[in-house]
Amino acid sequence: MKQLNESDLKVLTENFEVEKTDMLREGHPIHSVPSIDRFKPDSWEFTDGARIEAAFRRYFHRAHYSQKEDSYEIVVCHANVIRYFICRAVQNPPEGWLRMSLANGSITEVVLEPNGKVFISGIGDKGHMPVDMISFT
């Protein structure tokens, strides 16, 4: 398996609108419960947390009432951000974000129905990767 370069990325995304944003970069969204020694609260809680929460609010919302067709958003970001999004989407305490482990490059699917119901159809699916390519950080 090879790493994608710019021309590969262009071919894969030529039929999609691609938006790059710093809102989705890695960070520590909120203190975790139970607390974990390697994640010491610092100023990150006030900067990363606000940025990641803003990203959640931007990408996770009901469709406009006039929308007739299903829509799909592909969000590519780090596991800390994804774990926080999962907690928030299903209205679990966001402080539990470190209770999940996601492989690098894994796929998580969150479904938001027009009536407001939210469910997770898959978390951290890594079946598309060869076993020797699966890693966690």
Side-chain angles (χ1 to χ4, degrees):
M1 187 176 275
K2 68 175 190 149
Q3 185 171 345
L4 293 177
N5 61 36
E6 284 296 319
S7 62
D8 293 331
L9 188 59
K10 188 177 266 188
V11 169
L12 289 172
T13 61
E14 65 188 11
N15 295 318
F16 302 97
E17 180 182 328
V18 176
E19 172 187 313
K20 294 180 181 180
T21 177
D22 279 342
M23 292 175 74
L24 296 170
R25 74 179 184 277
E26 181 69 296
H28 299 98
I30 194 169
H31 68 279
S32 65
V33 175
S35 82
I36 295 181
D37 290 338
R38 70 175 190 232
F39 292 106
K40 302 282 187 206
D42 201 354
S43 62
W44 57 260
E45 193 170 322
F46 303 107
T47 56
D48 290 355
R51 174 181 47 80
I52 294 168
E53 176 61 23
F56 174 79
R57 291 174 185 230
R58 178 175 182 165
Y59 294 106
F60 288 78
H61 53 80
R62 290 184 190 182
H64 190 270
Y65 69 89
S66 64
Q67 182 175 321
K68 303 294 183 212
E69 304 277 327
D70 287 348
S71 60
Y72 302 89
E73 300 281 337
I74 299 172
V75 178
V76 179
C77 57
H78 291 273
N80 286 356
V81 178
I82 294 168
R83 291 188 290 243
Y84 178 80
F85 286 175
I86 291 168
C87 290
R88 290 280 287 113
V90 296
Q91 298 179 349
N92 282 342
E95 294 85 1
W97 65 280
L98 277 176
R99 294 180 182 197
M100 293 175 260
S101 179
L102 300 175
N104 296 320
S106 64
I107 299 170
T108 295
E109 184 177 359
V110 180
V111 178
L112 292 86
E113 294 183 339
N115 61 9
K117 291 183 181 177
V118 176
F119 64 94
I120 308 297
S121 132
I123 298 177
D125 183 4
K126 55 191 178 297
H128 59 285
M129 294 187 284
V131 174
D132 63 332
M133 297 294 293
I134 297 171
S135 65
F136 298 84
T137 49

